[in-house]
Amino acid sequence: MTRLSIVTLVACLLSAGPVMADPPALTGENGAPERSGIHLPKPRSIGLYAGVDGAYVPRVRDLSTGRTWIARGDIVWNAGLFRAFGLAGCHTAGVMAWSNVMMAMVGNEAGIRVRPLRFLSVEAFYLNHRVDVTWVNGHRIYPAGVIDRGAEAGVWMALEPARRMGLELHAFYRYFHVYTEHQSVLGTALRLRLFPGNRHELRLQVELFEIWRARAREGVDAFTHNTAGELSWRSLLTSSAGICATIRLSMNLLAGEMPMLELKRSVIGEPMGLASLGLFTTF
């Protein structure tokens, strides 16, 4: 009887004490915050991402006078105010250089996101990008008017065809005022999300941009099509913090995203390979 009681007591202690805690699950609420997306953090919480980007643009068909490269830092945030309403934004600062020219660029984007249904999200943003300083042959110049201002409206829809798979559709419209002309951008995107484990997420995204210029400058086409593909890996290090690595390929640099970069006219037609690495957290 005594031996049976000891065995029963040991079994109860083992079942009561946690031998190994379950790993935290990566979800939209604690994943890397996005400037545009269907997910928001929980109400009264904030998601923050800080990362660095590096882009290399090879010389193609003598479109430019030399190779182009971009280096910048990004801060992306979103805030859940209520269950179906929140804010989001992205702030960028960096440099773009080609041949004997280098310019410092700054971007600020902020807006609201409304998620009336679990599978539906609607968002609206204000967009602003500018060049503050330019160096030509090492001489500093403060240009005027190298700026774009715009607005964006978009919608996201999410599907879950399988337990560890997500499919998201995105459609958006952007309107920019840049230099002395206007641009309209109509875009669509398809995003595939795979979850090989609770802590990991693999994303594959394809984006299509159709860009119309109301009064195109000399040497710039009135219409441009751009295709971009993106592959990213996200992994949780703790229950609320993780790391994100992304590779992005674009056929026309950042056409449809930062019109003020068309100061360098050959960006239309130049491909781009961009790599990003950053950390994210939710608190």
Side-chain angles (χ1 to χ4, degrees), residues 54-113:
Y56 175 71
V57 183
R59 185 174 180 178
V60 179
R61 299 189 303 273
D62 293 326
L63 290 173
S64 63
T65 56
R67 294 179 177 87
T68 302
W69 58 268
I70 298 172
R72 67 186 187 186
D74 299 319
I75 295 178
V76 181
W77 58 273
N78 55 29
L81 302 183
F82 306 103
R83 182 188 63 81
F85 179 82
L87 306 175
C90 176
H91 309 280
T92 302
V95 295
M96 176 178 176
W98 71 93
S99 187
N100 61 337
V101 180
M102 183 170 68
M103 61 184 189
M105 54 187 185
V106 178
N108 293 290
E109 305 176 354
I112 62 173
R113 187 173 302 153

Side-chain angles (χ1 to χ4, degrees), residues 8-273:
T8 304
L9 178 62
V10 171
C12 291
L13 290 175
L14 289 176
S15 62
V19 178
M20 180 176 293
D22 292 334
L26 179 62
T27 65
E29 293 180 342
N30 64 354
E34 300 172 296
R35 199 280 280 169
S36 177
I38 194 169
H39 298 289
L40 280 173
K42 296 179 180 179
R44 294 176 297 280
S45 65
I46 298 174
L48 183 66
Y49 166 88
V52 292
D53 302 341
Y56 175 71
V57 183
R59 185 174 180 178
V60 179
R61 299 189 303 273
D62 293 326
L63 290 173
S64 63
T65 56
R67 294 179 177 87
T68 302
W69 58 268
I70 298 172
R72 67 186 187 186
D74 299 319
I75 295 178
V76 181
W77 58 273
N78 55 29
L81 302 183
F82 306 103
R83 182 188 63 81
F85 179 82
L87 306 175
C90 176
H91 309 280
T92 302
V95 295
M96 176 178 176
W98 71 93
S99 187
N100 61 337
V101 180
M102 183 170 68
M103 61 184 189
M105 54 187 185
V106 178
N108 293 290
E109 305 176 354
I112 62 173
R113 187 173 302 153
V114 180
R115 193 177 181 183
L117 302 172
R118 183 173 179 270
F119 61 88
L120 179 67
S121 177
V122 180
E123 55 191 18
F125 289 92
Y126 169 74
L127 315 174
N128 178 283
H129 313 99
R130 69 181 189 272
V131 173
D132 289 332
V133 185
T134 301
W135 292 266
V136 180
N137 292 323
H139 299 286
R140 184 181 301 176
I141 301 173
Y142 295 93
V146 185
I147 187 172
D148 65 58
R149 298 182 179 90
E152 175 184 330
V155 59
W156 283 88
M157 294 187 65
L159 305 172
E160 294 182 1
R163 179 175 175 270
R164 290 189 174 272
M165 177 185 298
L167 194 63
E168 297 177 0
L169 306 175
H170 183 209
F172 62 88
Y173 173 77
R174 294 172 185 159
Y175 179 82
F176 287 103
H177 175 76
V178 51
Y179 309 121
T180 59
E181 57 114 338
H182 303 277
Q183 282 191 19
S184 294
V185 182
L186 183 62
T188 57
L190 176 64
R191 176 185 293 171
L192 175 65
R193 306 173 65 201
L194 301 175
F195 300 89
N198 285 343
R199 288 175 173 262
H200 309 288
E201 177 186 352
L202 179 66
R203 290 190 178 189
L204 176 62
Q205 180 169 306
V206 178
E207 297 175 88
L208 303 177
F209 301 87
E210 309 292 343
I211 304 135
W212 292 270
R213 299 171 181 86
R215 290 186 296 172
R217 296 177 298 140
E218 182 180 356
V220 178
D221 293 334
F223 173 78
T224 301
H225 171 79
N226 189 20
T227 302
E230 187 173 291
L231 179 66
S232 65
W233 177 267
R234 298 149 193 257
S235 181
L236 277 178
L237 303 177
T238 68
S239 60
S240 60
I243 188 170
C244 176
T246 303
I247 296 176
R248 181 179 177 85
L249 300 176
S250 172
M251 298 304 296
N252 284 286
L253 203 72
L254 293 170
E257 300 177 68
M258 294 186 178
M260 60 92 182
L261 292 184
E262 293 175 12
L263 172 69
K264 179 178 183 287
R265 297 177 182 180
S266 62
V267 300
I268 305 171
E270 288 185 334
M272 176 190 71

